[in-house]
Amino acid sequence: MAQIQTANGASSSQSSFSGKRSRSSILEIDTWMPSEIQAISPTLDRLMRLIEGLQCVPGAERDVELALVEALSNAVLHGNQKDPEKKVHLHCRCGPGKQISIVVTDQGKGFDFEKIAGNGLIPDPAAERGRSISLMKAYMDDVHFERGGSEVHMRKHARSSSQ
């Protein structure tokens, strides 16, 4: 089983999350995962169980899951280039307004978004590079990059009852 380091520095072979509740959010999760493809699925499964259990974004869980797969895969493959010495940081906050915000950070050197996007606005969905960015943008309400592209910020609001 993959090893994940929690925010308090403890590590566990059972891959646990560090979570806390505060007045400004329902739940905050702060965790690290190794730069290994096989670590993505167990990390994603545990996070999605928490998101679904707390009903952070009722009706939009599948969108969040699909965007997270892309973000975590990019961080491991492209950002950290599967370097076993590097980790992927995941910060998730479920807000009381029925929304979720997620930040995935890799320890790579980032990327030039305009070069990947071509026209600087959105990547070409038919292109080999940039497809996962298009998917993240399709599934989430807001997606933007910081730290030179090594950090992706995503936000999703719960679907209204009319959808």
Side-chain angles (χ1 to χ4, degrees):
M1 187 168 267
Q3 184 177 21
I4 292 178
Q5 185 171 356
T6 58
N8 64 7
S11 62
S12 164
S13 61
Q14 295 186 349
S15 304
S16 61
F17 285 112
S18 172
K20 63 182 178 180
R21 291 178 189 233
S22 68
R23 287 186 201 144
S24 63
S25 66
I26 295 171
L27 175 72
E28 270 188 64
I29 297 167
D30 199 45
T31 193
W32 293 85
M33 66 171 243
S35 290
E36 301 169 354
I37 294 296
Q38 61 269 27
I40 294 171
S41 185
T43 300
L44 184 65
D45 290 346
R46 279 186 297 284
L47 182 59
M48 290 312 300
R49 280 195 302 268
L50 289 169
I51 291 168
E52 290 166 0
L54 290 170
Q55 297 185 351
C56 298
V57 284
E61 293 91 354
R62 184 71 175 148
D63 291 347
V64 170
E65 183 176 15
L66 293 170
L68 258 172
V69 165
E70 297 299 331
L72 293 173
S73 297
N74 277 353
V76 169
L77 293 172
H78 302 297
N80 290 347
Q81 299 178 346
K82 298 192 284 187
D83 182 340
E85 299 297 314
K86 294 181 179 179
K87 305 283 185 213
V88 175
H89 182 244
L90 176 65
H91 184 86
C92 175
R93 185 178 353 187
C94 298
K98 301 292 184 184
Q99 71 175 3
I100 189 167
S101 65
I102 300 166
V103 179
V104 176
T105 308
D106 62 59
Q107 295 178 315
K109 54 189 169 184
F111 70 99
D112 182 349
F113 181 77
E114 287 186 26
K115 189 174 183 181
I116 298 295
N119 62 8
L121 300 174
I122 54 173
D124 177 2
E128 181 65 27
R129 296 192 54 136
R131 187 178 357 210
S132 59
I133 295 170
S134 293
L135 290 171
M136 286 185 277
K137 287 181 173 277
Y139 294 127
M140 302 297 277
D141 296 328
D142 177 47
V143 176
H144 65 276
F145 294 88
E146 294 185 9
R147 296 186 49 200
S150 64
E151 188 171 274
V152 60
H153 292 247
M154 302 183 291
R155 184 179 317 276
K156 182 74 173 179
H157 299 277
R159 292 185 177 149
S160 67
S161 57
S162 63
Q163 289 180 330

